[in-house]
Amino acid sequence: MVALATAGCAVALAACGSSNHKSNRADAGIRVANCMRSHGVPNFPDPSHGGGIQIPAGSGINPQSPAFQAAQKTCFKLLPGGGPGGGKASESQKLAMLKLSRCMRAHGVTSFPDPTNKPPSPGNGPGLAFGAGGSFIAVPQSLMQSPGFKQAAGTCHFPGFGG
């Protein structure tokens, strides 16, 4: 499963499966970052070691700007499966995302959302969103900053947190 995308201040490219998928995720993240910079978002960061892209507040990057929206539309097609809305999540991927949601709640992040069928829109505010066609999770930034999130994320193999 490869994924998305933007919901404000964080972008994550998430993958489930083999180390080959992790390599593909890293390569896709670099291609997307380079593309975003070449399409009018000059400060767009490279992915971290875990594959996530963090866009910190005060970076000058506005995910709601026309330049960002246009670059995203072009560059996210470079993601395996064509990015958000491209490709379909398999049943096993959908189950894995549901398992992640349940695990996060079981480990203290009680308001962690279940997967939804549609990707979140880029203007939904700061946070993190990932998934594949038919199964997406959008996590608000406030939830990611809640006590215990990092610990639960590591335990549950949340993308970019040791999973």
Side-chain angles (χ1 to χ4, degrees):
M1 166 178 65
V2 174
L4 163 79
T6 64
C9 290
V11 177
L13 304 173
C16 297
S18 70
S19 61
N20 185 37
H21 285 191
K22 289 180 182 180
S23 174
N24 289 343
R25 171 183 59 184
D27 292 346
I30 291 168
R31 284 193 306 273
V32 168
N34 288 336
C35 180
M36 291 292 287
R37 288 189 290 264
S38 71
H39 283 85
V41 187
N43 297 329
F44 196 86
D46 283 332
S48 68
H49 176 68
I53 297 175
Q54 298 294 320
I55 302 174
S59 66
I61 298 173
N62 178 0
Q64 298 175 2
S65 73
F68 188 99
Q69 296 285 320
Q72 176 183 321
K73 194 175 223 179
T74 297
C75 299
F76 280 23
K77 291 177 184 173
L78 297 173
L79 292 170
K88 290 276 187 190
S90 69
E91 280 306 308
S92 65
Q93 290 168 329
K94 290 178 183 181
L95 290 173
M97 292 180 74
L98 186 57
K99 181 179 175 183
L100 171 65
S101 293
R102 289 176 177 165
C103 181
M104 292 295 288
R105 288 192 295 268
H107 286 89
V109 186
T110 57
S111 60
F112 194 89
D114 276 331
T116 62
N117 291 330
K118 294 182 181 180
S121 64
N124 279 352
L128 175 99
F130 60 95
S135 190
F136 296 92
I137 294 177
V139 185
Q141 185 71 24
S142 60
L143 188 60
M144 293 173 62
Q145 295 173 343
S146 67
F149 181 88
K150 251 187 192 175
Q151 184 175 349
T155 299
C156 297
H157 306 289
F158 188 93
F161 288 86

